[in-house]
Amino acid sequence: MERNADVRVKDFSEVDLGLSKEEIIAEAQRCIQCKKPKCVLGCPVGIDIPGFIAALAVENFQNAADIIKRDNMLPAVCGRVCPQEVQCQGMCILGKKGTPISIGQLERFAADSTRDNTVPTCPKKAPATGKRVAVVGSGPAGLSAAAELARLGHSVTIFESLHEAGGVLMYGIPEFRLPKDIVRYEIDQVKNLGVEIKTNHIAGRSVSVDELLAFDAVFLGTGAGLPYFMGLPGENLPGVYSANEFLTRVNLMGANRFPENDTPVKFGKKVVVIGGGNVAMDSARVARRLGAEVTLMYRRGETDMPARLDEVRHAKEEDIVFMTQTNPVAFIGTNNAVSGVEAVQMSLGAPCEDGRCSFSPVEGSNFIVEADVIVEAIGQGPNPLLLRMVPELARNKNGSVTVNSLGETTVPKIYAGGDVATGAATVIIAMGTAKDAARAIDKMLRK
Amino acid sequence: MGTYKIVEARALSEAVFEMWIHAPQVALHAKAGQFCIVHPDGAGERVPLTISGTDGENIRIAFMAVGTTTKLLATLKTGDELRDVAGPLGMPSNITPGNETVIIVGGGVGVACTPILAKAAKEAGNYVIGIIGARNKDLLIFEDDMREICDELIVTTDDGSYGIKGFASAPLKELCESGRKIDKVWIIGPGMMMKVTSEVTRPYGIKTYVSLNPVMVDGTGMCGSCRVTVGGEMKFACVDGPEFDAHQVDWNDLMTRQRMYVPEEKQSMAYREEQHHVCRCRKVD
């Protein structure tokens, strides 16, 4: 059940309230328990989906949570932010003729309903191997690699540069989609496996490359934290933000509670968000909750937007104006602050290689949109801080670290997974590649 | 909470404070020109501050209490703890080993950055001339440190209450005009001071570095708040800097962005003033 748009835009509380116990049991009982379950093939971390659903169907919630945690230590997170419609749920056989099982809701319930249990169960751990692994970054990739390696018996230390663990789960995804207490709880579960998380430790700076290489293996899960800018005139005017900055100020530093919290953000009266992905939707919905009228500007058509359909729907319900086939050409300012965007209309042409429409500007169609805050959510790349210090690490054209199917980089002992290797993708794809790399590290360490 | 102990805290002047903090992972790796992020409590800002010195597992910072979080920091005493200290961040100063003559100019609280830099330059075999300045004698900091490290030290005060009367740019100009061999100049201080002072060396073609201090959030290259224009290109002061070629910096851009949150800073302080007032009333009750 979702909260009404006119109510939810007034706060940062969660939009989706989940399903009731009765609804969950009924939904779980609807699962036909396929012999060869397609849903599992659709899950990047390979959760035993029919297994946990069967446990829910007989009201054994703890068992359901334990089954999920064998493969995924972040079930409350994934139940909320995974694009299930194109993964497990998208593969569900019941979806062929009717409605697929709401696997995301079931996963979320299994995690949520057991969170307050006094004795949290911990997945079984293999005997200690005496091997030490350094994990760089505590986002979805780092946490998954660390959990997997710890379960396999290795001693794991995570180095996190920020003051709080969680990476994009903390600084990027807003509270109303992913409550931070839930993230903290699931991170504690990873710590309970024996993983040590050192916050305020910047790999390459607070921990030298030599210190990292003193470990038996290194996993890089540094994500895609470098914001891209459009390179337009007026971009440095106060009031123009990268989505990363805008979201970090609010999600990590609590700027929505300024001045109680001391990190400010421009709340804005008229906000323009540029982009059509999930980060753009998050930025627009945050700006809306800070009290602004929000326009989302996207260069192609709405059907070309990379954002999840649910996120587009949520944004529209929250009165965010979609200005599609429109691209900024300059930011305009008065009195040393941004006051608007000069934009141009785009005409769409034949589909490109990726299936989305090609586009070109319509000459002479320039117009101005007023705005006192602008958020650029046009994508992000890998943070170069550590990568620059290991020049032997081969990188792809888009800057991401080159890895093979095992997650091995071109430097012995160094593995990578998540956005730093795949380019900006989803939480669960990051977790999947990290888990694969962790298994490859385990194999290497046991040789 | 409370993992970074303040080993020593003291006021250098009415508004400038010095602190030694136990932060081994920062101290063991810090080099001249780098900074750290200090986050005193969960509600405060992440404040970027240049590392002014190291001693074993401790680092020294110096800061002016101007905003809400730095004012809070100023109330902390020896033995108190800070929630988070992260670093070292940024690129180290470009010190060349060998027999170079370098001039290190510090203005106001920017003088805090000079001892570690002067020491590194000296240890690299350079001849080091220091010029440190402040508005008046009371606001002058780290004179003793600099006198001990530098081969020559010149002190200026705006009001003439100590040293040479005037700005630090005057003795710098004299040195440039004297015909002495000068290989590199560092200038660290407020934006306007760096802008004006770096103009002195431009006609002489002397390589001049400034340490920029734009608004930051994470300090690790992930937000772009600290973007500055250098040589017509966008740079992130936190990972590409904080030191840049002074003669390539777009000062107007920097100073405009530095003033971005002035209204919010006032709002934040007014809010705290009010909170403080409420607290006192409650105590009286």
Side-chain angles (χ1 to χ4, degrees):
Chain A
M1 203 191 69
E2 287 175 358
R3 296 164 70 219
N4 273 337
D6 51 340
V7 177
R8 72 193 191 216
V9 295
K10 296 194 172 79
D11 61 42
F12 278 76
S13 302
E14 197 169 13
V15 166
D16 185 351
L17 300 175
L19 300 179
S20 70
K21 187 171 124 184
E22 292 69 32
E23 288 168 320
I24 288 293
I25 294 165
E27 184 69 1
Q29 287 172 345
R30 213 162 62 78
C31 173
I32 57 172
Q33 294 287 321
C34 301
K35 282 275 177 307
K36 287 183 182 164
K38 286 237 165 78
C39 51
V40 180
L41 299 176
C43 176
V45 296
I47 294 171
D48 175 7
I49 296 168
F52 94 79
I53 294 181
L56 287 178
V58 297
E59 291 189 47
N60 193 339
F61 303 143
Q62 186 63 58
N63 196 18
D66 292 345
I67 291 170
I68 299 172
K69 282 183 193 168
R70 291 206 298 252
D71 294 293
N72 180 355
M73 286 300 288
L74 309 173
V77 169
C78 291
R80 286 169 169 82
V81 303
C82 275
Q84 292 98 3
E85 64 279 5
V86 295
Q87 296 178 344
C88 51
Q89 228 158 284
M91 305 282 274
C92 177
I93 202 88
L94 293 178
K96 289 258 192 288
K97 283 184 182 150
T99 315
I101 300 290
S102 298
I103 301 170
Q105 288 290 348
L106 297 182
E107 181 183 28
R108 169 184 166 151
F109 184 89
D112 287 359
S113 63
T114 53
R115 194 177 310 127
D116 298 327
N117 289 3
T118 42
V119 189
T121 52
C122 207
K124 273 196 197 117
K125 277 176 71 172
T129 60
K131 302 283 185 185
R132 296 165 63 239
V133 184
V135 170
V136 183
S138 66
L143 289 170
S144 298
E148 190 68 11
L149 288 161
R151 267 171 9 94
L152 293 165
H154 309 297
S155 158
V156 184
T157 306
I158 300 184
F159 297 106
E160 166 57 48
S161 65
L162 289 173
H163 58 269
E164 188 144 17
V168 74
L169 306 175
M170 292 306 290
Y171 75 74
I173 304 177
E175 176 82 15
F176 55 81
R177 276 215 295 139
L178 182 62
K180 302 308 153 213
D181 284 347
I182 289 173
V183 180
R184 289 191 190 99
Y185 173 84
E186 297 207 321
I187 291 172
D188 282 343
Q189 296 291 294
V190 175
K191 286 191 199 165
N192 285 345
L193 285 168
V195 171
E196 184 189 12
I197 303 184
K198 291 192 163 195
T199 53
N200 300 320
H201 278 65
I202 303 108
R205 293 275 185 235
S206 325
V207 190
S208 68
V209 173
D210 285 345
E211 285 171 283
L212 286 175
L213 289 172
F215 285 79
D216 296 300
V218 180
F219 173 81
L220 299 181
T222 48
L226 176 79
Y228 292 145
F229 285 92
M230 301 189 79
L232 298 178
E235 198 156 47
N236 289 353
L237 283 165
V240 180
Y241 289 96
S242 72
N244 265 15
E245 179 184 355
F246 188 69
L247 292 172
T248 300
R249 282 179 179 273
V250 175
N251 299 340
L252 181 74
M253 305 305 295
N256 53 309
R257 291 188 301 276
F258 179 86
E260 189 187 327
N261 287 342
D262 192 34
T263 298
V265 72
K266 298 281 179 194
F267 280 33
K269 290 191 173 66
K270 291 189 172 175
V271 176
V272 169
V273 175
I274 301 157
N278 288 323
V279 177
M281 299 302 150
D282 283 345
S283 304
R285 297 174 70 199
V286 164
R288 183 78 183 87
R289 282 162 175 75
L290 296 175
E293 283 175 34
V294 185
T295 301
L296 191 104
M297 197 177 271
Y298 181 57
R299 59 190 182 179
R300 299 194 237 213
E302 195 181 311
T303 50
D304 293 315
M305 284 185 173
R308 274 180 87 180
L309 289 176
D310 267 351
E311 299 313 319
V312 172
R313 174 176 61 80
H314 282 139
K316 287 191 154 179
E317 286 169 1
E318 292 170 9
D319 290 331
I320 285 150
V321 178
F322 280 48
M323 197 179 270
T324 52
Q325 287 181 243
T326 309
N327 210 27
V329 291
F331 302 114
I332 301 155
T334 42
N335 298 327
N336 286 332
V338 76
S339 62
V341 192
E342 182 184 342
V344 62
Q345 265 155 14
M346 307 296 276
S347 72
L348 299 182
C352 317
E353 272 173 37
D354 66 356
R356 299 191 297 169
C357 288
S358 62
F359 50 87
S360 54
V362 178
E363 205 145 318
S365 66
N366 299 42
F367 64 106
I368 287 171
V369 184
E370 247 182 75
D372 53 357
V373 167
I374 290 162
V375 181
E376 292 187 36
I378 59 157
Q380 58 273 335
N383 189 322
L385 198 152
L386 174 62
L387 306 184
R388 277 180 194 167
M389 306 185 87
V390 194
E392 314 87 73
L393 271 177
R395 297 173 55 188
N396 304 327
K397 249 195 290 182
N398 63 1
S400 58
V401 173
T402 309
V403 291
N404 61 16
S405 60
L406 299 174
E408 290 173 324
T409 67
T410 49
V411 179
K413 289 213 301 197
I414 302 185
Y415 291 68
D419 283 3
V420 73
T422 60
T426 61
V427 166
I428 191 68
I429 289 173
M431 293 174 64
T433 56
K435 193 172 162 182
D436 292 345
R439 294 199 169 159
I441 290 172
D442 176 63
K443 248 190 194 158
M444 186 258 302
L445 293 179
R446 285 177 195 280
K447 259 182 201 162
Chain B
M1 287 281 284
T3 41
Y4 300 90
K5 196 170 191 152
I6 299 169
V7 182
E8 196 191 331
R10 65 187 182 106
L12 296 176
S13 72
E14 210 169 282
V16 180
F17 298 82
E18 176 191 15
M19 229 172 230
W20 282 94
I21 305 164
H22 184 248
Q25 90 279 16
V26 188
L28 298 175
H29 297 94
K31 292 195 177 73
Q34 293 186 301
F35 65 98
C36 62
I37 294 269
V38 176
H39 184 223
D41 68 8
E45 282 197 275
R46 289 169 60 94
V47 186
L49 293 165
T50 305
I51 299 161
S52 169
T54 62
D55 182 11
E57 295 191 335
N58 301 330
I59 58 165
R60 177 169 69 177
I61 55 168
F63 58 93
M64 195 185 282
V66 282
T68 297
T69 300
T70 44
K71 281 186 173 169
L72 165 80
L73 206 52
T75 63
L76 301 178
K77 302 195 164 46
T78 303
D80 286 346
E81 297 194 334
L82 297 166
R83 187 188 192 277
D84 304 287
V85 178
L89 291 157
M91 301 295 286
S93 299
N94 189 15
I95 294 162
T96 323
N99 190 23
E100 290 195 336
T101 299
V102 305
I103 303 178
I104 297 168
V105 186
V109 76
V111 175
C113 313
T114 60
I116 190 170
L117 179 56
K119 192 170 166 219
K122 186 77 195 144
E123 282 169 1
N126 295 180
Y127 185 85
V128 182
I129 303 171
I131 305 175
I132 57 172
R135 277 210 309 270
N136 59 51
K137 185 172 189 267
D138 289 343
L139 295 173
L140 186 72
I141 59 172
F142 294 143
E143 186 196 351
D144 292 347
D145 291 65
M146 284 298 277
R147 201 165 289 287
E148 194 183 315
I149 302 162
C150 296
D151 294 289
E152 296 174 39
L153 183 71
I154 301 163
V155 179
T156 65
T157 52
D158 298 3
D159 66 354
S161 52
Y162 186 63
I164 301 168
K165 183 179 172 167
F167 298 131
S169 52
L172 177 64
K173 191 157 193 253
E174 274 176 34
L175 282 164
C176 290
E177 283 171 350
S178 72
R180 281 174 70 172
K181 179 182 84 90
I182 302 164
D183 298 288
K184 276 179 189 168
V185 173
W186 271 271
I187 303 166
I188 305 146
M192 187 53 81
M193 174 267 184
M194 291 194 285
K195 178 186 175 178
V196 172
T197 313
S198 63
E199 281 310 309
V200 170
T201 59
R202 192 193 291 271
Y204 300 93
I206 301 169
K207 190 79 182 167
T208 304
Y209 297 99
V210 282
S211 181
L212 304 187
N213 51 349
V215 176
M216 291 185 186
V217 183
D218 58 287
T220 63
M222 58 164 263
C223 84
S225 170
C226 68
R227 59 191 187 271
V228 290
T229 307
V230 182
E233 276 180 47
M234 183 191 287
K235 298 280 180 193
F236 287 2
C238 67
V239 286
D240 300 319
E243 285 184 6
F244 292 103
D245 181 341
H247 301 139
Q248 303 281 321
V249 172
D250 182 335
W251 294 102
N252 194 27
D253 199 77
L254 174 81
M255 288 189 273
T256 304
R257 289 187 62 78
Q258 280 176 330
R259 285 193 295 267
M260 178 164 168
Y261 291 108
V262 169
E264 284 80 4
E265 193 64 65
K266 282 186 188 147
Q267 194 190 338
S268 170
M269 294 211 275
Y271 172 81
R272 267 154 192 94
E273 205 109 302
E274 201 179 310
Q275 294 293 105
H276 184 63
H277 178 72
V278 170
C279 289
R280 274 195 311 205
C281 287
R282 277 188 194 141
K283 263 184 203 162
V284 174
D285 286 346

